[in-house]
Every structure is written in C-alpha cells, then in structure tokens.
Amino acid sequence: MFGKTRKKRINKRGKYGEDLAARYLETHGYRVLDRNYTTDIGEVDLFVTDEKTLIAVEVKSRLSLEYGTPAEAVGHEKVKKISQVTSQYIKQYRLFGVQVRFDVVEVYLQDKTVNHIVNAFDSYLNY
C-alpha cells in the first residue's frame, strides 16, 4: 500500500525533473526529438540535437544530496543501457554516421536549478 504512493511521488518528481531539463535544453538552443524513448532494453529520457549531434540525455532529479549528486546515480549498468538504446534509436531512424554524445542533466528540485553535464560519458562500446 505505501509503496505505490511513494512510487507515484517519485514518478511525478521524475516527470517534473524531465520537464525542467527539456525546457532548460530548449532555452539553450537544443531541439527535443524524443522523450522517454523505450525499448525492451531500457529507456533514454531525452534525445535532443544541436543540429550537428544526436544527444542522448539522462535526467536525474534529487530533492537533496543525501545520497550523492544526481550524476553519481548514473552507474555502469545505466551507461550500458543508454548506449544500447541509443544504438536502437539510430537504427530505427536510420541516423547512420551521425555524431552522438551522451549528456547528463542534473535537476535539483529544491531550488529548481539545472546542471547540464556535456559529454558526461562515452558509449559503453568504448569501455
């Protein structure tokens, strides 16, 4: 019973954080191509472009730093999934040869600030 309520709050915070991140990116010259692109492997929160590069964006929102920074929550397994889902996105939309980058957007919900980490990690295939 209590678990569902907590999960709803977390999902609501996550959506709000993604909305803030998308607005932030748009005001900084990026165009949002897709939100919550999901495959059987996983999900990428945002796909955006600066008209030269396809950028897979992982959005992490936090109310506090009690458990570390938002970006610290993007571990090895998450990087692997984001890389694999991005590969599927490229295949689906036939974006072969396009430059790809992986960013993380940290959203601090208390004060509604955003920290955009450009090129936060390399593709898992480069590990």
Side-chain angles (χ1 to χ4, degrees):
M1 177 164 87
F2 295 107
K4 288 183 182 179
T5 303
R6 181 175 184 276
K7 188 170 182 168
K8 277 186 182 179
R9 278 196 320 267
I10 290 170
N11 287 343
K12 190 174 180 179
R13 276 191 295 234
K15 168 116 174 55
Y16 180 69
E18 287 175 8
D19 290 343
L20 286 176
R23 269 198 307 271
Y24 174 89
L25 292 169
E26 287 173 333
T27 61
H28 286 81
Y30 296 91
R31 183 167 50 96
V32 175
L33 301 172
D34 249 313
R35 290 184 68 157
N36 305 113
Y37 179 82
T38 305
T39 71
D40 57 336
I41 293 171
E43 176 190 66
V44 170
D45 295 325
L46 300 169
F47 277 109
V48 302
T49 185
D50 61 5
E51 303 307 328
K52 295 177 283 195
T53 306
L54 173 67
I55 305 155
V57 180
E58 175 67 10
V59 179
K60 286 295 182 188
S61 304
R62 293 288 182 270
L63 282 170
S64 74
L65 296 178
E66 183 177 345
Y67 299 107
T69 68
E72 289 174 332
V74 184
H76 183 74
E77 282 303 310
K78 188 66 174 175
V79 167
K80 180 179 177 181
K81 283 186 180 192
I82 292 168
S83 296
Q84 291 171 330
V85 172
T86 299
S87 178
Q88 290 180 319
Y89 187 86
I90 289 167
K91 288 175 188 167
Q92 179 179 347
Y93 292 103
R94 307 184 63 72
L95 299 172
F96 307 112
V98 71
Q99 189 174 1
V100 178
R101 189 174 85 208
F102 299 92
D103 293 1
V104 172
V105 173
E106 298 178 312
V107 178
Y108 296 91
L109 297 169
Q110 287 290 79
D111 57 4
K112 298 182 179 91
T113 58
V114 173
N115 179 35
H116 180 195
I117 303 169
V118 175
N119 205 24
F121 57 86
D122 291 326
S123 170
Y124 176 77
L125 301 175
N126 292 334
Y127 275 59

